[in-house]
Amino acid sequence: MADRRKYRKRANQAVVAVQLALDTAGFTYEKWGGTQTCKAGDWIVDNDGDVYTVDRTTFERTYRDVGEGRFVKTTPVWAEVAREAGQVQTKEGVTHYDAGDYLVFNEEDGGDAYAVSAAKFEAMYELAD
């Protein structure tokens, strides 16, 4: 893996989100080459047409409400370019990635991981330092 660096979401990168506030055991869906699980209380996010779910505790810790169902990610991430294809365990399931995609971590120590294609990551994030 390449060096991991600190990034922040670009200021114009708001998402639309709604919390799954229903009496339900949740649901599963297929995305990123694996089965994802959404639990009651998790968030359903529409990120410029890319719809996915985010674990409740992660969403509440990393996003801020900016009104009318829109949220911005306010915490930094740490990311590195994958040198070869692989998969990463996320809070929602398993995400497969290709060489050149970014492995992204919500925690500096490498916790709370996910993967994003290079084009999407570079459009959404900028170096923090």
Side-chain angles (χ1 to χ4, degrees), residues 22-73:
L22 300 172
D23 184 14
T24 177
F27 60 88
T28 61
Y29 61 101
E30 299 298 318
K31 191 163 180 106
W32 302 304
T35 300
Q36 312 301 314
T37 300
C38 177
K39 307 172 297 299
D42 287 355
W43 288 77
I44 301 170
V45 174
D46 181 341
N47 186 359
D48 197 27
D50 186 17
V51 178
Y52 50 87
T53 60
V54 177
D55 175 79
R56 177 183 58 84
T57 57
T58 295
F59 190 89
E60 291 171 356
R61 182 174 56 81
T62 61
Y63 281 86
R64 178 176 53 88
D65 186 349
V66 293
E68 300 180 4
R70 299 183 62 79
F71 296 82
V72 293
K73 190 166 191 172

Side-chain angles (χ1 to χ4, degrees), residues 54-108:
V54 177
D55 175 79
R56 177 183 58 84
T57 57
T58 295
F59 190 89
E60 291 171 356
R61 182 174 56 81
T62 61
Y63 281 86
R64 178 176 53 88
D65 186 349
V66 293
E68 300 180 4
R70 299 183 62 79
F71 296 82
V72 293
K73 190 166 191 172
T74 58
T75 57
V77 298
W78 290 262
E80 59 195 42
V81 177
R83 292 189 179 179
E84 57 188 43
Q87 66 182 33
V88 62
Q89 181 68 46
T90 70
K91 288 186 173 180
E92 293 78 19
V94 172
T95 296
H96 293 261
Y97 56 85
D98 293 321
D101 290 348
Y102 280 80
L103 293 173
V104 186
F105 308 91
N106 281 319
E107 299 170 8
E108 188 172 7

